Amino acid sequence: MLKTLFSFDYSAHARFVAPARERSELWRLIVGLALATAVIMLCSPLLWQFLSYVMSEEGHQALYDDFETFLLPQSTLVLLYSFGLVWIAVAAVVIVLHLRRPETLIGSPTIAFLQAKFVVVALLLVSAALIVLPPYRFEPALVPGLSFARWAGFLLPALVAVFIQTSAEEVLFRGYIQQQLAARFNSPFVWMITPSLLFGLAHYAPQSYGSNAWLVVIWATVFGVLAADLTARSGTLGPAIAMHFVNNIAALLVIAPQGEMSGLALFHYPFDASDEAAVRALLPIDFAMMLVTWLAARLALRR
């Protein structure tokens, strides 16, 4: 089992990358990323325009006022759903610039779904074990977030929103960028590390994390490498999306730091992201959990 668990047989990755090989010029990737960014920037104001038509003036103003802190569940939902623009932009780029179908960014949809299901089950079992095993309380003690009734009311749209957000990020970084680089370069150091570094830098937020900002970048980069490994091992985006999805459910819907992006959480840590000492103390635990979930996902994919 250990030999299978730590196998780095990436033969399935060749099938995943195959649709990108015909038009794998670097200029297409660079232009594609620029076009995707332009589409997102052009469409974002349209989203706000749409909300202004379907919402009351008071509700729209409340969202607008909260759009820097995301303390309201509604504004957090809008942010997460807005990642659908990433899906639309990348799909458009693939169709227009690479002349291939958007579903090729995922791999075989049937296999991706089955692999994702196995990984989600494995990660839920790991989470259940962590709840059952000691220690039986969080240190420092958690504080309540949303009431359970209100949290349950938001749960279904929040799960859909988190899925849209996590799948969009995986489609961009592990789908489009990883595929295009792997179609051009054989070295895993290029097609694993480059998208992961970009993913990490996308999480650079010194205004939120202070001196921990680069530690968060390192955390996200390592997460990106592990997601790239799952993608190369499985030949689809299913496992990476599943790992990302379960991780973000825990971080956004179950327990979140107080303050920014805490609007949908059932519980809060007794500190916010700007508490540098508290966040720094939590990061090693997050790193350990990330490795455990990656190993559990790999175990679910053994063959």
Side-chain angles (χ1 to χ4, degrees):
M1 180 181 292
L2 284 176
K3 183 178 179 181
T4 304
L5 181 61
F6 290 103
S7 169
F8 290 92
D9 175 12
Y10 288 159
S11 56
H13 195 236
R15 297 192 299 274
F16 179 66
V17 174
R21 294 196 185 280
E22 187 173 350
R23 293 173 180 84
S24 61
E25 298 88 349
L26 278 179
W27 71 263
R28 289 183 190 269
L29 173 59
I30 295 169
V31 172
L33 291 174
L35 287 175
T37 302
V39 169
I40 293 167
M41 292 179 67
L42 288 172
C43 290
S44 293
L46 297 179
L47 175 61
W48 276 106
Q49 191 68 29
F50 171 76
L51 289 174
S52 71
Y53 284 121
V54 299
M55 296 181 68
S56 66
E57 184 177 345
E58 295 79 6
H60 186 263
Q61 187 62 47
L63 279 185
Y64 186 82
D65 292 342
D66 189 52
F67 213 64
E68 287 191 3
T69 56
F70 305 104
L71 297 177
L72 294 175
Q74 297 91 331
S75 58
T76 307
L77 279 176
V78 169
L79 174 67
L80 296 174
Y81 275 110
S82 71
F83 278 79
L85 296 177
V86 177
W87 256 109
I88 293 169
V90 175
V93 164
V94 165
I95 292 170
V96 172
L97 199 58
H98 300 274
L99 305 181
R100 61 185 175 106
R101 300 188 308 276
E103 62 266 29
T104 59
L105 292 163
I106 301 171
S108 167
T110 302
I111 296 174
F113 175 77
L114 290 173
Q115 291 173 335
K117 182 174 69 173
F118 293 147
V119 171
V120 167
V121 170
L123 298 188
L124 290 178
L125 289 174
V126 169
S127 300
L130 291 173
I131 293 172
V132 170
L133 295 173
Y136 299 111
R137 62 177 184 172
F138 284 87
E139 290 293 344
L142 301 178
V143 297
L146 290 177
S147 68
F148 183 80
R150 196 160 184 237
W151 180 80
F154 279 108
L155 184 57
L156 182 57
L159 289 173
V160 174
V162 172
F163 177 76
I164 290 172
Q165 178 251 325
T166 53
S167 63
E169 290 187 353
E170 292 306 318
V171 162
L172 174 60
F173 291 100
R174 259 65 67 180
Y176 182 55
I177 300 177
Q178 181 167 324
Q179 272 187 341
Q180 291 303 132
L181 288 176
R184 192 70 180 174
F185 303 99
N186 291 325
S187 172
F189 289 101
V190 176
W191 52 259
M192 287 183 80
I193 302 301
T194 304
S196 301
L197 284 172
L198 293 174
F199 181 70
L201 289 171
H203 288 75
Y204 180 66
Q207 72 280 4
S208 298
Y209 297 108
S211 65
N212 290 325
W214 285 108
L215 291 176
V216 173
V217 168
I218 293 170
W219 183 96
T221 301
V222 173
F223 184 94
V225 171
L226 299 182
D229 166 77
L230 291 179
T231 302
R233 180 86 171 100
S234 64
T236 78
L237 281 187
I241 291 174
M243 183 175 73
H244 202 159
F245 179 61
V246 173
N247 175 83
N248 281 23
I249 287 175
L252 293 173
L253 306 188
V254 182
I255 308 173
Q258 294 179 4
E260 186 176 343
M261 289 291 291
S262 64
L264 290 168
L266 182 61
F267 297 103
H268 293 153
Y269 291 109
F271 55 83
D272 61 26
S274 64
D275 188 332
E276 297 179 2
V279 171
R280 198 175 298 119
L282 189 64
L283 279 173
I285 300 172
D286 273 0
F287 270 107
M289 279 300 304
M290 179 168 55
L291 292 174
V292 169
T293 55
W294 170 67
L295 289 172
R298 265 187 154 259
L299 185 61
L301 295 172
R302 70 188 187 280
R303 64 180 190 272

